[in-house]
Amino acid sequence: NAGVTQTPKFQVLKTGQSMTLQCAQDMNHNSMYWYRQDPGMGLRLIYYSASEGTTDKGEVPNGYNVSRLNKREFSLRLESAAPSQTSVYFCASARRTGDEQYFGPGTRLTVT
Amino acid sequence: AQSVTQPDIHITVSEGASLELRCNYSYGATPYLFWYVQSPGQGLQLLLKYFSGDTLVQGIKGFEAEFKRSQSSFNLRKPSVHWSDAAEYFCAVDLILTGGGNKLTFGTGTQLKVEL
């Protein structure tokens, strides 16, 4: 039981490049989330998926897109990376509304 | 809009000393409340949660937190800190979304340093 897994762990992009961050959970959870963590700002929600087939914007969705591929997988795409998107990205999942969220180990992204 | 305040950015305590990390929230109803811990280079791990009922909740690693409605606070405590407790601690408030699912609003974190 791996919990929440994220790939890659580290990534360096040049401004304007695109990439997809992958997230998968093996806990049969319904809800999945993408956060970014920046120094002094805690974690901020980018997008979430309350259940398979639905996605919604969080606090800071600009510059990102998501896909809930199936119940297990939730990917985050940067179409044209910008230096302001340099951050640590965390994926999380929860069994049902109001339950605690389980976090992956994070992806450290640097955009130059 | 809901918000979470952790007024202490950094705290240093001696090993064996007691610890209290402060958390205040602004929300129209009694929210679900959480404390998470993050070790360097790691993801977040849930320490404890409050949904309802007894206002003193016990968590993992010897931590506890007390919900005080009158003060809109949910402070984290530990009677005797161990060197391995050095980490960053996040308080979070859960909002149930109209579209389903839930959204955690995090405080900005408190970095705990433990002196040997």
Side-chain angles (χ1 to χ4, degrees), chain A residues 5-6 8-9 11-12 17 26 29 34 37-38 44 48 52-53 62 65 67 74 90 96 101 105-106 111:
Chain A
T5 57
Q6 293 182 236
K9 286 186 169 29
Q11 184 71 49
V12 179
Q17 287 184 318
D26 61 2
H29 285 173
W34 276 106
Q37 183 180 32
D38 302 292
R44 293 179 293 168
Y48 69 98
E52 187 179 355
N62 291 344
N65 283 300
S67 295
F74 189 40
F90 288 98
R96 58 180 173 84
Q101 295 182 13
V111 183

Side-chain angles (χ1 to χ4, degrees), chain A residues 33-88:
Chain A
Y33 309 83
W34 276 106
Y35 294 89
R36 59 178 290 172
Q37 183 180 32
D38 302 292
M41 301 191 74
L43 278 78
R44 293 179 293 168
L45 183 66
I46 304 172
Y47 270 93
Y48 69 98
S49 171
S51 60
E52 187 179 355
T54 68
T55 60
D56 282 287
K57 296 177 180 179
E59 295 177 69
V60 289
N62 291 344
Y64 305 95
N65 283 300
V66 291
S67 295
R68 183 74 183 266
L69 304 170
N70 47 55
K71 191 172 186 179
R72 290 187 62 248
E73 299 172 287
F74 189 40
S75 62
L76 178 72
R77 183 161 178 82
L78 286 70
E79 291 291 352
S80 178
S84 61
Q85 295 177 305
T86 293
S87 188
V88 182

Side-chain angles (χ1 to χ4, degrees), chain A residues 31 33 35 37 40-45 48 50 56 59 90 94 96-106 108, chain B residues 32 34 36 38 41-46 49 51 88 90 94 96-97 99-109:
Chain A
S31 301
Y33 309 83
Y35 294 89
Q37 183 180 32
M41 301 191 74
L43 278 78
R44 293 179 293 168
L45 183 66
Y48 69 98
D56 282 287
E59 295 177 69
F90 288 98
R96 58 180 173 84
T97 300
D99 270 6
E100 64 264 33
Q101 295 182 13
Y102 293 81
F103 285 81
R108 186 173 295 274
Chain B
Y32 296 162
F34 302 83
Y36 285 85
Q38 185 180 31
Q42 303 295 314
L44 277 73
Q45 181 184 21
L46 180 71
K49 61 186 178 185
F51 284 177
E88 190 157 22
F90 292 94
D94 202 357
I96 308 305
L97 300 162
N102 53 306
K103 170 186 176 295
L104 283 180
T105 297
F106 286 86
T108 52

